[in-house]
Amino acid sequence: MTADEPLRPVPRVEIHPDAETLAVTVAGALLGRIAEVQEAGNQVHIALTGGTIAELVHREIARHHSGAVPDVRPVDWTRVHVWWGDERFVAHDSPDRNARQAREAFLDEVGASQVHEVPAADQVDDAEAAASSYADTMHEHGSGEFDVLMLGLGPDGHVASLFPGHHALEVDDRIAVAVHDSPKPPADRVSLTFAALNRARSVWFLVSGDGKADAVARALAESGSVPGTTVAETPARGVLGREETIWFLDSAAASAL
Ligand code: 6PG
């Protein structure tokens, strides 16, 4: 975010009774937003996140596609560019891969064909090479301005693989960065940087469970009003959509607001 750009809208908070309701809402909102962009004749770029609530959202998207949930607005998944905010630097077929989880949950089912995975540990030499290759792919496919960027939130306030106090938080001259000492296993990862995340038009945080309540409170508190409200302490504070930021919470995750 640069000083001379227009102010970004403040985050909007939506609280849902439980994780299932949250996932149903987010899946419906995502499909609607994709349809809206496609109806306007534009390419769609979305960025997925790893994590448990994301998995529920992914499976709900597959339910829509199966016809179990009648959709009023069709989505052409062959024209949706799918990215990730971060990826674990492990073998391509590892169950730890965010991309593998998303393919199994819905991408294969819906026939997504513009899927841009971060290179895996059995495809390139190291996470630095994976980050560089992923950034090149993003450059090839446009401006990196995701129509919707979805992000989970860690109990420490991390988003993507940007963890509190990590030097990756300071990297502002690259789209993607290698992370080698992730406090959340696996240790080796690739993450989009704040510079890349903040190019998104819409940022949707997906957060469920009382284990995240304190992180949510720190992320949404007035700066300096409570301890832990610097970006270095709560990296989620460093991401705002250019046009929209929504925090989709269940009541447990919202319990410290
Ligand atoms: C990852 C994720 C990470 C995740 C949060 C929340 O690759 O691990 O991208 O940022 O979204 O840690 O994960 P949970 O929803 O499983 O708590």
Side-chain angles (χ1 to χ4, degrees):
M1 288 176 270
T2 54
D4 56 354
E5 76 164 55
L7 281 178
R8 297 183 178 218
V10 295
R12 175 158 65 87
V13 177
E14 276 194 20
I15 301 174
H16 298 274
D18 52 40
E20 289 68 31
T21 317
L22 192 163
V24 166
T25 302
V26 172
L30 181 68
L31 291 166
R33 184 63 57 85
I34 293 171
E36 191 181 300
V37 176
Q38 289 188 330
E39 284 157 15
N42 298 322
Q43 288 271 13
V44 186
H45 290 259
I46 63 173
L48 306 180
T49 181
T52 42
I53 188 64
E55 176 79 7
L56 291 185
V57 172
H58 297 166
R59 295 202 177 280
E60 184 61 22
I61 293 170
R63 263 173 32 85
H64 278 255
H65 188 77
S66 71
V69 181
D71 276 326
V72 289
R73 299 165 76 177
V75 163
D76 177 357
W77 281 97
T78 64
R79 292 192 300 118
V80 178
H81 288 267
V82 181
W83 307 88
W84 277 266
D86 73 327
E87 183 57 280
R88 292 83 177 280
F89 189 64
V90 292
H92 188 255
D93 63 354
S94 164
D96 277 340
R97 284 274 290 182
N98 290 332
R100 177 176 164 176
Q101 292 172 20
R103 282 187 183 281
E104 290 176 350
F106 82 108
L107 289 175
D108 292 347
E109 161 104 13
V110 301
S113 53
Q114 312 274 352
V115 179
H116 309 290
E117 295 189 19
V118 179
D122 49 357
Q123 296 171 326
V124 294
D125 290 342
D126 53 30
E128 284 75 6
S132 173
S133 168
Y134 190 54
D136 290 348
T137 303
M138 204 165 280
H139 280 305
E140 285 160 24
H141 286 274
S143 58
E145 293 176 357
F146 305 119
D147 294 290
V148 179
L149 161 69
M150 288 180 284
L151 290 171
L153 178 76
D156 58 359
H158 79 258
V159 287
S161 288
L162 298 177
F163 294 94
H166 200 280
H167 68 80
L169 303 182
E170 309 302 323
V171 176
D172 60 5
D173 61 346
R174 268 169 288 159
I175 286 180
V177 66
V179 172
H180 290 293
D181 45 0
S182 166
K184 174 181 181 182
D188 293 327
R189 292 156 170 259
V190 173
S191 183
L192 292 185
T193 57
F194 281 133
L197 297 174
N198 282 311
R199 294 187 61 77
R201 293 176 55 203
S202 286
V203 172
W204 295 357
F205 291 94
L206 319 177
V207 195
S208 166
D210 55 16
K212 310 293 179 71
D214 288 344
V216 168
R218 291 198 312 276
L220 291 171
E222 282 297 311
S223 181
S225 59
V226 293
T229 55
T230 65
V231 171
E233 292 167 310
T234 304
R237 296 182 68 89
V239 186
L240 266 184
R242 290 187 295 119
E243 298 169 13
E244 174 187 72
T245 300
I246 304 177
W247 284 76
F248 290 97
L249 307 175
D250 65 9
S251 51
S255 57
L257 287 180

